[in-house]
Amino acid sequence: MDTALDVRSALTDDELRRLDAYWRAANYLTVGQIYLLGNPLLREPLTRDDIKPRLLGHWGTSPGLNLVYAHLNRVIVARDLNAMLVTGPGHGGPAIVANTWLEGTWSERYHDVARDEVGMAKLFRQFSFPGGIPSHVAADVPGSIHEGGELGYALSHAYGAAFDHPDLVVACVIGDGEAETGPLAGSWLSDVFLNPARDGAVLPILHLNGYKIANPTVLARIPETDLLDLMRGSGYQPYVVAGDDPAVVHRVLAATMDRVLDEIAEIQRRARSGGVVERPRWPMIILRTPKGWTGPQEVDGVQVEGTYRAHQVPLSGVRDNPAHLAELERWLRGYRPEELFDATGAPVAELRTLPPRGDRRMSANPVTNGGVVLRDLALPDFRDYGVDVGEPGQPMAGATGVLGPWIRDVISANPETFRLFGPDEVASNRLGAALEVTGRAWVAATVAGDDHLSPDGRVMEVLSEHLCQGWLEGYLLTGRHGVFTSYEAFIHIVDSMLNQHAKWLKVTRAIPWRQPIASLNYLLSSHVWRQDHNGFSHQDPGFIDHVVNKKAEVVRIYLPPDANTLLATMDHCLRSRHYINVVVAGKQPAPNWLTMTEAIQHTRRGLGIWEWASNDGGIEPDVVLACCGDVPTLETMAAVELLHQHLPDLRVRLVNVVDLMRLQTDTEHPHGLTDNEFDTIFTQDRPIIFAYHGYPWLIHRLTYRRNNHENLHVRGYKEEGTTTTPFDMVMLNDLDRFHLVIDVIDRVPGLAARAAHLRQRMVDARQAARDYTRRYGEDDPEVAEWRWVRETDPTNP
């Protein structure tokens, strides 16, 4: 205990009694959800038929969560706080559900679960029951922005919610098991990026109940001096609340809550008084209470309370073990429900007056239903930022470098609702124009020579993909917008976090009161085909494959071939709602193929025939060359030119794909082409040579139901990479122009015999290109400096 606190003055005896009653009510409702099918108020002795056949849920963390919730409600009322709660131990779902029912929000969202005996019975029955609600703090729970089914992200979500919400206090309960994860360990450093002058505050509450599902937890077993030093070293002022006597813990926690909120208010007052904004030492709470507190101390002669055995269901054989059934009834009656609920089953009047009112309830705070407070971005006209394409392939310009000034002006136009996130790669990915109008968020020390560091920065850079993802998710879920830019190979680090966000989006589409939020936008650059200098470790386009596994209604994947299509694509993504948008675009100088008007039209179609590069003359072609991605498009265009030059009678159709999901059928994805549309573009029986940015089998997976799938031949990345030249990279994976021409010769019926000489020249050209790199260390200028040239209309060769 911190004896410096005036624990007696924090609560009067009457306030203590009422606060404890509220805590007991929440605990009773929590246990009821785990165990009971009927008899919710114990008006009759419990019988086997009152017990659920499958006992699911987590009791161990729940009493601590109920304690924190009750005390947060006290200070919200006393101080008229704008506050929300992020629940790291999300498996303690019945606790948070219990509190939302006690304060009325659950019944407002789900009208059939009223605050009476019938509603309580429904509340109990629905928990972890077929047709009911999950066992975790899921999207169904009002006030939640954090599923908690996968541990590690609570604190980063809390900081994301606090950014640009100056009057918001985000309390975040961190379980001591969760605290062992890498993402959570890195999240403590988020305070380096929180500006007390313009952002809200985060109050971390590290709940140490000592055990995980089967083992002790690390932070509960290290010396307390080490733990305090760990928290101080991360920039916090820790306050310890510990004990197992409810009356004592209530008083100390109340006094501690008052102190930390006073300190937060003082930190913000100083920062907002016009002085220099520096990194403060934010307060945080270390709460030590027994695991499974107030539950059965022993079961069958074995200690349960305060051990890992309390983690889930302490009494597991209740339906078939009369002793366990009797113990459950003693447990429930120990909370004295007759004092807590009136004759109708509603919380007694005294308890109904304790929670905050209206939007001040944490379960009803509008920011926790981000779509309610979401406002459209003010987006500059992207058409004004494009490159002037006089003829296809000219000029050479890096796509993300062209996008950068537009992102810069998006930041300027939306100074409180848009941020750019990246793991130390914003400038590397050629978005450095953003730094012309803002800095990188930073409130730690600065030294001479630092580059664009500012407490007011809108660029969020930290060398942790986990933190960038968590911050952005918290930012989006509370009603704002953002873009996450990363090297393509390393975005895999957040695969599992993407899973959870995709699940959240999928589930909330079916929850009427949850409003759509802004889309999660990934801009992946420094991609597989231009990581030749970094080598094999930086070469992996598989994030796309991972995203495709998610529900079709929430994922979109775009591979714009040039700068103008990238601009059109990003404008679309920032206007969209409730999606995960993955955009892959290069940063190196590359040909620009389409005028802005053409790019807009092409982006809207998602894919299309480039008539100016085709010579099928509007009739059925001999072969379709398709491409998706900027480098595959470059190599395909070079192959098409070779075919036009050497096989002018061969009818070639060039198809470029921007929206990858157009390849699926319309029955599998909302963007999918109908079979008739697909056949019209790709034909029903002609060879298709498809040059694709990523792993080739994904294209087969997306198109396996199509009529012409047996004639589809895909080239892409096949795990062949090293530190080499750009063209050698595509040759290693058989995606180069010469190999594409060989594929055409091999696949078009009757062409092999009359094009044998050309095929041999293509084989020789590949070898010559490789020999040049081995001798000079760079690509042959004839390859590296190739430009598209068509002197005549290809439709009339």
Side-chain angles (χ1 to χ4, degrees):
M1 302 290 183
D2 188 338
T3 56
L5 293 170
D6 184 3
V7 298
R8 296 298 304 177
S9 65
L11 293 174
T12 66
D13 290 345
D14 185 58
E15 288 172 333
L16 171 61
R17 180 186 59 79
R18 289 188 292 135
L19 191 62
D20 186 69
Y22 196 90
W23 180 52
R24 286 188 286 117
N27 285 337
Y28 179 87
L29 294 170
T30 299
V31 180
Q33 289 176 75
I34 294 173
Y35 284 97
L36 299 185
L37 266 181
N39 196 9
L41 288 171
L42 306 183
R43 298 191 189 278
E44 303 291 340
L46 278 182
T47 69
R48 181 181 190 275
D49 292 339
D50 295 328
I51 308 302
K52 293 179 177 180
R54 299 171 69 241
L55 299 180
L56 304 170
H58 293 74
W59 165 245
T61 190
S62 292
L65 292 176
N66 288 329
L67 181 76
V68 168
Y69 207 106
H71 278 261
L72 285 171
N73 275 348
R74 181 189 76 85
V75 293
I76 289 169
V77 171
R79 297 165 180 259
D80 191 28
L81 282 184
N82 178 19
M84 60 176 284
L85 176 65
V86 175
T87 310
H91 48 280
I96 306 303
V97 171
N99 282 280
T100 64
W101 187 83
L102 275 174
E103 58 192 14
T105 316
W106 191 276
S107 299
E108 293 170 10
R109 297 288 185 262
Y110 305 102
H111 300 303
D112 61 324
V113 187
R115 280 199 298 177
D116 56 25
E117 185 173 5
V118 173
M120 188 187 297
K122 290 182 178 180
L123 186 81
F124 290 176
R125 183 184 185 89
Q126 70 183 6
F127 177 77
S128 284
F129 201 79
I133 64 172
S135 62
H136 291 148
V137 185
D140 311 73
V141 180
S144 171
I145 67 164
H146 175 81
E147 168 82 28
E150 181 180 52
L151 301 178
Y153 317 126
L155 194 54
S156 61
H157 284 163
Y159 274 95
F163 294 142
D164 294 320
H165 273 146
D167 66 336
L168 182 66
V169 175
V170 186
C172 179
V173 179
I174 300 143
D176 47 359
E178 179 179 30
E180 296 176 6
T181 65
L184 196 287
S187 295
W188 293 111
L189 299 178
S190 297
D191 60 355
V192 172
F193 305 87
L194 188 79
N195 182 351
R198 64 175 298 165
D199 297 328
V202 174
L203 174 59
I205 303 171
L206 177 60
H207 185 209
L208 298 180
N209 58 35
Y211 292 90
K212 306 185 284 288
I213 193 170
N215 286 286
T217 55
V218 173
L219 295 188
R221 292 292 181 91
I222 65 175
E224 187 164 284
T225 54
D226 289 355
L227 177 61
L228 295 176
D229 286 346
L230 179 65
M231 294 297 102
R232 292 189 184 108
S234 297
Y236 299 91
Q237 175 59 53
Y239 291 92
V240 179
V241 177
D244 58 5
D245 182 334
V248 175
V249 173
H250 279 308
R251 289 192 182 279
V252 178
L253 183 55
T256 303
M257 283 279 188
D258 286 339
R259 170 173 284 193
V260 298
L261 289 169
D262 286 345
E263 289 186 7
I264 287 171
E266 177 58 20
I267 287 170
Q268 293 178 332
R269 186 198 65 77
R270 290 197 306 267
R272 297 170 187 183
S273 64
V276 176
V277 175
E278 296 178 330
R279 182 189 182 196
R281 186 170 292 279
W282 293 97
M284 59 88 62
I285 296 173
I286 298 172
L287 176 64
R288 289 185 185 268
T289 58
K291 196 173 187 75
W293 197 16
T294 73
Q297 289 195 349
E298 291 186 358
V299 176
D300 298 331
V302 178
Q303 181 70 26
V304 172
E305 184 184 85
T307 77
Y308 67 89
R309 298 180 186 91
H311 185 80
Q312 292 177 295
V313 181
L315 295 161
S316 58
V318 181
R319 283 172 66 93
D320 303 313
N321 186 324
H324 284 200
L325 181 63
E327 178 62 27
L328 174 63
E329 185 163 354
R330 283 193 294 272
W331 179 10
L332 284 165
R333 292 192 186 279
Y335 294 119
R336 307 193 297 279
E338 67 280 2
E339 300 176 4
L340 308 174
F341 307 100
D342 64 21
T344 71
V348 296
E350 187 176 58
L351 294 188
R352 293 198 302 271
T353 63
L354 285 179
R357 303 287 184 174
D359 289 351
R360 281 294 190 248
R361 294 172 295 176
M362 291 186 291
S363 58
N365 193 318
V367 301
T368 64
N369 186 7
V372 172
V373 298
L374 181 66
R375 298 293 179 265
D376 292 343
L377 288 172
L379 293 178
D381 191 339
F382 68 92
R383 299 168 182 83
D384 297 336
Y385 298 79
V387 297
D388 184 9
V389 177
E391 57 183 78
Q394 297 291 343
M396 298 287 287
T400 56
V402 173
L403 179 70
W406 184 74
I407 292 289
R408 173 199 65 202
D409 293 348
V410 172
I411 292 172
S412 293
N414 303 276
E416 298 177 348
T417 55
F418 177 87
R419 293 197 182 209
L420 178 62
F421 299 79
D424 199 29
E425 293 161 0
V426 167
S428 176
N429 281 334
R430 306 296 192 268
L431 300 176
L435 301 176
E436 297 172 10
V437 297
T438 188
R440 298 176 173 94
W442 187 263
V443 295
T446 59
V447 299
D450 284 341
D451 183 31
H452 290 93
L453 300 182
S454 168
D456 294 322
R458 313 298 297 166
V459 174
M460 310 299 296
E461 283 201 298
V462 60
L463 196 51
S464 166
E465 287 83 357
H466 287 124
L467 271 185
C468 291
Q469 176 84 14
W471 290 344
L472 178 54
E473 287 179 358
Y475 200 62
L476 299 176
L477 288 162
T478 52
R480 283 73 63 76
H481 307 255
V483 170
F484 182 1
T485 183
S486 175
Y487 278 28
E488 182 184 40
F490 302 126
I491 197 64
H492 270 300
I493 292 171
V494 300
D495 278 0
S496 192
M497 298 183 74
L498 174 135
N499 288 348
Q500 298 303 317
H501 192 73
K503 292 174 189 295
W504 183 280
L505 295 179
K506 184 262 185 186
V507 168
T508 53
R509 288 174 69 91
I511 299 176
W513 55 268
R514 285 278 186 188
Q515 297 301 305
I517 62 173
S519 297
L520 197 168
N521 300 302
Y522 293 100
L523 176 59
L524 307 183
S525 193
S526 302
H527 60 56
V528 58
W529 301 111
R530 289 297 181 261
Q531 279 298 306
D532 43 89
H533 57 296
N534 278 322
F536 195 42
S537 65
H538 285 54
Q539 297 160 0
D540 187 340
F543 188 69
I544 295 173
D545 302 61
H546 179 67
V547 173
V548 168
N549 291 330
K550 305 301 114 185
K551 293 294 290 186
E553 61 260 34
V554 301
V555 295
R556 305 289 185 266
I557 300 169
Y558 302 100
L559 293 101
D562 66 2
N564 286 341
T565 50
L566 175 60
L567 282 163
T569 298
M570 290 304 297
D571 180 82
H572 167 77
C573 291
L574 287 186
R575 295 181 189 276
S576 68
R577 296 288 182 272
H578 226 66
Y579 296 140
I580 294 172
N581 295 312
V582 179
V583 182
V584 183
K587 67 182 184 182
Q588 303 296 349
N592 284 274
W593 305 105
L594 303 178
T595 67
M596 182 57 75
T597 299
E598 293 167 339
I600 293 170
Q601 186 178 41
H602 188 49
T603 302
R604 288 173 177 169
R605 284 194 303 247
L607 57 74
I609 300 168
W610 283 1
E611 296 183 16
W612 49 269
S614 307
N615 70 343
D616 56 341
I619 60 177
E620 194 164 41
D622 296 314
V623 64
V624 176
L625 266 70
C627 47
C628 182
D630 52 6
V631 169
T633 298
L634 168 63
E635 292 304 311
T636 302
M637 293 300 296
V640 167
E641 186 174 78
L642 287 169
L643 291 170
H644 289 332
Q645 291 174 357
H646 297 288
L647 297 171
D649 295 331
L650 185 72
R651 295 194 301 274
V652 178
R653 175 177 297 172
L654 189 287
V655 177
N656 183 265
V657 178
V658 179
D659 181 350
L660 188 65
M661 307 317 293
R662 294 288 277 164
L663 298 177
Q664 275 197 302
T665 63
D666 59 323
T667 59
E668 295 294 323
H669 195 282
H671 287 195
L673 294 174
T674 65
D675 284 334
N676 183 64
E677 290 172 324
F678 189 91
D679 291 345
T680 299
I681 294 172
F682 290 99
T683 78
Q684 295 190 46
D685 58 3
R686 300 306 169 98
I688 306 167
I689 311 300
F690 201 123
Y692 171 55
H693 174 85
Y695 292 107
W697 36 90
L698 178 59
I699 302 301
H700 287 291
R701 175 183 163 194
L702 295 176
T703 60
Y704 79 100
R705 291 183 176 180
R706 298 298 191 180
N707 293 324
N708 200 23
H709 181 253
E710 65 178 18
N711 286 318
L712 175 64
H713 311 283
V714 186
R715 295 293 177 185
Y717 183 69
K718 53 184 185 180
E719 288 292 309
E720 293 294 338
T722 184
T723 302
T724 186
T725 66
F727 192 68
D728 196 46
M729 262 297 295
V730 293
M731 284 198 297
L732 285 171
N733 291 276
D734 295 335
L735 185 67
D736 61 280
R737 60 200 68 179
F738 304 128
H739 209 290
L740 295 176
V741 172
I742 292 171
D743 283 338
V744 171
I745 295 170
D746 289 348
R747 302 297 183 181
V748 174
L751 188 58
R754 67 186 180 92
H757 297 284
L758 177 61
R759 192 186 192 286
Q760 180 171 292
R761 288 199 296 272
M762 295 299 100
V763 172
D764 293 344
R766 280 171 55 84
Q767 188 59 54
R770 178 151 296 151
D771 291 344
Y772 191 97
T773 65
R774 271 45 176 184
R775 182 175 182 182
Y776 296 105
E778 60 183 357
D779 285 325
D780 187 335
E782 289 190 11
V783 171
E785 298 174 10
W786 174 87
R787 302 291 183 268
W788 169 264
V789 177
R790 285 290 295 172
E791 296 181 357
T792 60
D793 183 350
T795 62
N796 296 292

